[in-house]
Amino acid sequence: MIGTVFLLCLFVLTNGQFFAGKNKFCCENTSDSRLWLSTTLETRQTLQAENPADLQRAVPVSQGSSWWTDFPVLPLVFANSNTIPKGRCRKQVQRYLKELANSTLWAVQMFDASTKYPDGVLHGQTIHLGSFDQCYNLRAELPPDEFSDIGEPDEVEGRYCLVRLRYQRKDVEPKRPKTFTLDFDPNLSVWNAIDYTGDFRRVKRHSVYLSLCVPASCSSQDVTTALTEPLKELANARQIQLDVTVKPSLCQARTDVPEDFTVGAKVFLFIVAGLFVLVVASSWYDSSVYSSEEAVKDNEPRDLFLSFSAQRNLRSIYANESSHPGLDCINLIRFFFTACAMFGHRSMQYYGYPLVESTYLEKAYTVPFSMMVFNGTIIIDGFFSIGGLLAAYGALRDLDRSKRLNFTALILNRFLRLTPLYMLVVLFNATLMPMMGSGPYWEARVGFERDNCAKNWWANLLYVNNYVRPEEMCMFQSWYLSVDYHLYIMGLLVLWAYWKLPRRLGYPFLCSLIALGIAIPFFITYVQDQQPVFILLPTLPEVRKDPYFLGQYIKSHTRIGSYMVGVLAGAIIYDHKDATWRLPKAWSRFLFILLAVGFTIVSESLAAKYFDPNSELHPLETAAYAGFHRAAFALGICSIVVLITIGDGLDFHRNFMTPRWVPPLARLAYGAYLVHNIKQIYDIGATRNPRVFSLNDWLSNFLADMFYTFGISLLLSVVVEWPIRKMEQVVRTKQ
């Protein structure tokens, strides 16, 4: 029965009915079995002709035909195209068409794996994935026939492609409405819901991705060439302008993937194996050979070897020592912000990738509370402010002790603490990660990450990747490490100058730098008429292609204000360490609510108008928000630490901010930040089906991210991060 259906479909196609818009079977005497049989035989004989692709012909289209009811069946358009370039691809397509008429399994499997007709487009389901594995794993040995070279057997494999069809009415320019809406009058034209008129909240319904399974001998360019002319002929008959695009990264076959481990993958595995051998050997020596008598002896090589002891590193990770009433609160802030970053990056998977109901995502923009998520990128400024606070406290302590700062040693120590684990993750992304899976978006995401890391790892190593080739940045979240490193170096210079100045001049000096940090984004936003915040769009599959992300968001000079707020807070806390004065209870609680709660929530929620396309934006107001909101959020976060340090009556707040389970997780935050995106990229690349934008799925994915990420971070901390820290401590104490 299935074979008969396919044969009838091909009969309609070869008789010109496809291009006449008749995507259904019709004949006058459907009850006459002889007519069905004769049709089948005639179609089979026709398809076995020398060049069946030349049989395609266009038929005049009636004026009543509709683009929506006559949407092309993509695999049939491709198989019958006259414009397939000559060569092996064309011969295999001709063989495919013949075997499809014969109901041969491999041909039907190729046809079955392709998308026939899009559904749910009006609700934003614009990506239709078909059956990836059915196509990707297709492989068949073909006996010789008239399409084979000199009678030799042939082999066919599947190539899975996502074809983008972008369509709009001819000679009709969509007009911007007076008021953007997410609801449309059902009695008006469907083009009101299809046309893109500037509402960035909406998925672009005039751009549809359809899966197409073709022989692996056909390239993405062959597919584009084969589809462009017949599809445009169909579209022109209906006054539609149609563009066909097939990106090489979205057109992949199993034959494209190397079967053996690459040299880079072998190097990565060798490094990892060597580290595990060191950890096992050091742990065995620490537990079985090392004694208390040896502990009193000065032996630097032995101490360096013991830095890899798993027992010692686990004790350091799980240690729970109180050092400072205010600084202890930073552990919870660091863990919470790391979790928020993971949650935010997980939410980015819903932008530009297959969704069943994009309307849920679009309407989320209209919910006021959604700014806690959509403008959640502001939490990064909390990270920077905490980094500046800790840098200030540590640098001022060292200056008071030694009366000088060893800039070279401090910068080098920071480099050695951050870089080994960082480069190991970069190497993993460039070598082993691409070999761990497959999927419709595998090459577009994992392959994209592989290529960027292979080409630009040196920019990550030198911490300049936020300025050098940022559009090809390896690990998109790594920009934070470069900005933090730049600001740390700047902070050391600022703190040395602050320490030299009398306090009556030192505090105004720091405040002037905060003002400079506010003025820079203010000036850029006002002069260049740019958006003030990073707006995650439903049409943004890759942040490294967003102009605001590349031009402002990842630049060190736009984050000076947040970092200097932290430096000022660190200076206040350090200068207060010997003071007996305390802020009164009433003022402490009032300022905590005003700054820690009010400033953080207000600075984040005020962005709502910039996520509303109906808002009237004034350049000066927009620039003011761009300049002040990050520093205001940083002030709110740092006020927690400062008020708990100098305030009175905040015992409950301190106890809440210093639970015993947080310090170990906070120590794993750096590793978690580095590796959390690996699982998320894997999920995107390997996705086979559209997902639903729902809070339940969102939270389920997030909890899985937390479990996997912190588990892997614990392993990497024991094997790489903490051994490096211990070795650095051993070397520093010997100096």
Side-chain angles (χ1 to χ4, degrees), residues 172-229:
V172 177
E173 187 68 26
K175 296 181 179 179
R176 180 186 177 96
K178 294 181 179 179
T179 303
F180 290 107
T181 179
L182 297 176
D183 299 308
F184 298 91
D185 188 339
N187 293 310
L188 296 180
S189 171
V190 68
W191 287 104
N192 292 332
I194 293 292
D195 286 336
Y196 180 72
T197 56
D199 189 347
F200 55 78
R201 301 171 300 179
R202 303 191 73 235
V203 170
K204 294 180 179 178
R205 289 154 173 80
H206 67 288
S207 181
V208 177
Y209 285 84
L210 302 179
S211 66
L212 178 64
C213 187
V214 301
S217 57
C218 300
S219 66
S220 61
Q221 184 58 46
D222 292 335
V223 176
T224 304
T225 303
L227 292 176
T228 298
E229 184 176 323

Side-chain angles (χ1 to χ4, degrees), residues 75-100:
L76 296 182
V77 176
F78 173 78
N80 285 273
S81 174
N82 287 327
T83 56
I84 300 176
K86 291 183 179 180
R88 189 161 180 255
C89 171
R90 183 167 184 169
K91 292 180 179 179
Q92 288 201 334
V93 172
Q94 292 172 347
R95 182 72 177 267
Y96 161 59
L97 198 58
K98 168 191 170 183
E99 299 298 343
L100 186 59

Side-chain angles (χ1 to χ4, degrees), residues 133 136-138 157-159 216 252-259 438:
D133 292 292
Y136 192 71
N137 296 321
L138 188 153
E157 296 189 14
R159 178 179 297 280
Q252 50 190 314
R254 184 175 289 277
T255 53
D256 300 336
V257 181
E259 296 182 0
S438 62

Side-chain angles (χ1 to χ4, degrees), residues 206-276:
H206 67 288
S207 181
V208 177
Y209 285 84
L210 302 179
S211 66
L212 178 64
C213 187
V214 301
S217 57
C218 300
S219 66
S220 61
Q221 184 58 46
D222 292 335
V223 176
T224 304
T225 303
L227 292 176
T228 298
E229 184 176 323
L231 285 179
K232 283 191 175 181
E233 186 175 354
L234 172 65
N236 289 335
R238 289 154 180 78
Q239 296 302 306
I240 301 293
Q241 180 178 330
L242 180 68
D243 293 320
V244 181
T245 304
V246 185
K247 294 181 179 180
S249 61
L250 295 177
C251 201
Q252 50 190 314
R254 184 175 289 277
T255 53
D256 300 336
V257 181
E259 296 182 0
D260 299 327
F261 281 103
T262 62
V263 175
K266 292 177 181 178
V267 170
F268 174 82
L269 292 174
F270 177 79
I271 293 173
V272 171
L275 289 171
F276 271 100

Side-chain angles (χ1 to χ4, degrees), residues 71 74 113-132 160-163 167 205 207-212 353-356 440-441 688-690:
F71 205 90
L74 212 60
S114 304
T115 301
K116 314 303 182 302
Y117 192 87
D119 54 82
V121 174
L122 295 180
H123 268 221
Q125 187 177 348
T126 58
I127 301 174
H128 302 266
L129 299 178
S131 179
F132 173 83
Y160 177 93
C161 299
L162 281 176
V163 180
Y167 54 94
R205 289 154 173 80
S207 181
V208 177
Y209 285 84
L210 302 179
S211 66
L212 178 64
Y353 291 96
L355 283 180
V356 176
Y441 283 97
R688 261 68 168 175
N689 299 297

Side-chain angles (χ1 to χ4, degrees), residues 663-675:
L665 293 174
R667 296 186 184 102
L668 300 177
Y670 174 61
Y673 184 80
L674 286 178
V675 304

Side-chain angles (χ1 to χ4, degrees), residues 519-530 552 619-620 622-623:
I520 290 174
F522 176 94
F523 180 79
I524 293 174
T525 304
Y526 185 79
V527 172
Q528 299 181 6
D529 192 23
Q530 293 192 5
Q552 282 202 56
L620 198 60
T622 300

Side-chain angles (χ1 to χ4, degrees), residues 539-564:
T539 55
L540 181 66
E542 175 52 59
V543 297
R544 281 164 284 196
K545 297 179 181 179
D546 182 73
Y548 179 82
F549 178 82
L550 298 175
Q552 282 202 56
Y553 187 76
I554 64 174
K555 302 305 184 185
S556 303
H557 58 267
T558 63
R559 305 285 181 160
I560 292 175
S562 302
Y563 195 85
M564 286 302 142

